[in-house]
Amino acid sequence: MYANLGALAFLIAACYMTYCWDHRLNPNLKFKTSSNWSYLVLTVLIIFVIWDILWNICSGAMSRFISQAFLQSSFCFAWKPFFDAISTGVSEETFRYLSIVTLLECLKETKHQVTFVVIISAMIFGAFHLLNVMDEPFIAAISQVIMAFVRGLVWAIIYLYTGKLWAMMIIHGMYDYFMFLQPIGI
């Protein structure tokens, strides 16, 4: 519960900070299309995210996933992993938002600004997963760093393409929910 409140407070503080920097977060649900907008690109990105989530669900036994997501005897929803996923998705995507906005400002005179922003923000996202080495086996933590970097690339591209932080919070939360249902080390 406190983690969810902390994530919400972090989001509010980040929105206020970036507002002071003259960057307006657009919270509406409608995507603003630009001249180079393509539903094909958005569809490919969404298919990749769905494939990635399903791949992680099916990497363990599907029956184990179902029994953990919905307790078989009473079909009770697994609330703790759900709320943990919400707080993680909100706080990590808020951090990515701050990283991207800061990097865009710092690299505004650079020729390949967006490419550098995507790569550097993904490296930062992956590096923060090194903290998991304190709670998990070393190999599992290094694997998380690598996968966080790869997902960080895709999620930064989706954020920059759609401009919607809420969409990234939902994707990240869904991914984490399914991961939190898996035993450690998978």
Side-chain angles (χ1 to χ4, degrees):
M1 178 67 170
Y2 294 116
N4 289 328
L5 291 175
L8 182 61
F10 183 44
L11 175 62
I12 291 169
C15 290
Y16 179 73
M17 286 186 319
T18 56
Y19 179 82
C20 291
W21 297 339
D22 287 332
H23 180 77
R24 307 294 189 261
L25 179 64
N26 183 5
N28 69 8
L29 298 177
K30 185 178 178 187
F31 293 111
K32 288 186 175 180
T33 58
S34 63
S35 61
N36 59 357
W37 175 267
S38 166
Y39 281 104
L40 177 63
V41 172
L42 183 63
T43 304
V44 169
L45 291 171
I46 290 171
I47 288 171
F48 176 81
V49 168
I50 291 170
W51 171 81
D52 186 39
I53 291 171
L54 290 175
W55 176 269
N56 284 291
I57 291 172
C58 297
S59 65
M62 184 60 87
S63 62
R64 182 177 61 225
F65 164 73
I66 291 171
S67 68
Q68 289 177 336
F70 303 95
L71 301 175
Q72 290 179 343
S73 60
S74 63
F75 289 100
C76 224
F77 189 74
W79 288 105
K80 181 175 178 354
F82 177 75
F83 285 116
D84 289 347
I86 288 175
S87 63
T88 304
V90 170
S91 60
E92 288 187 8
E93 290 308 316
T94 300
F95 181 78
R96 178 187 326 283
Y97 167 68
L98 285 174
S99 299
I100 288 174
V101 168
T102 304
L103 288 167
L104 284 171
E105 184 62 29
C106 291
L107 300 172
K108 67 182 171 188
E109 302 297 326
T110 308
K111 182 178 179 182
H112 301 288
Q113 176 193 26
V114 174
T115 304
F116 290 146
V117 166
V118 168
I119 293 170
I120 293 169
S121 68
M123 289 170 61
I124 293 169
F125 184 63
F128 271 104
H129 285 79
L130 274 174
L131 297 173
N132 293 338
V133 81
M134 293 184 273
D135 299 327
E136 297 180 18
F138 181 75
I139 297 299
I142 295 303
S143 174
Q144 285 182 7
V145 168
I146 294 167
M147 293 310 295
F149 170 74
V150 172
R151 286 188 183 94
L153 291 171
V154 174
W155 293 349
I157 291 168
I158 293 173
Y159 171 70
L160 288 170
Y161 196 70
T162 64
K164 302 298 177 199
L165 188 58
W166 61 265
M168 296 316 310
M169 290 177 179
I170 291 171
I171 291 169
H172 195 146
M174 283 176 31
Y175 178 81
D176 282 346
Y177 175 69
F178 294 127
M179 292 295 12
F180 292 160
L181 293 175
Q182 301 292 326
I184 292 177
I186 292 186

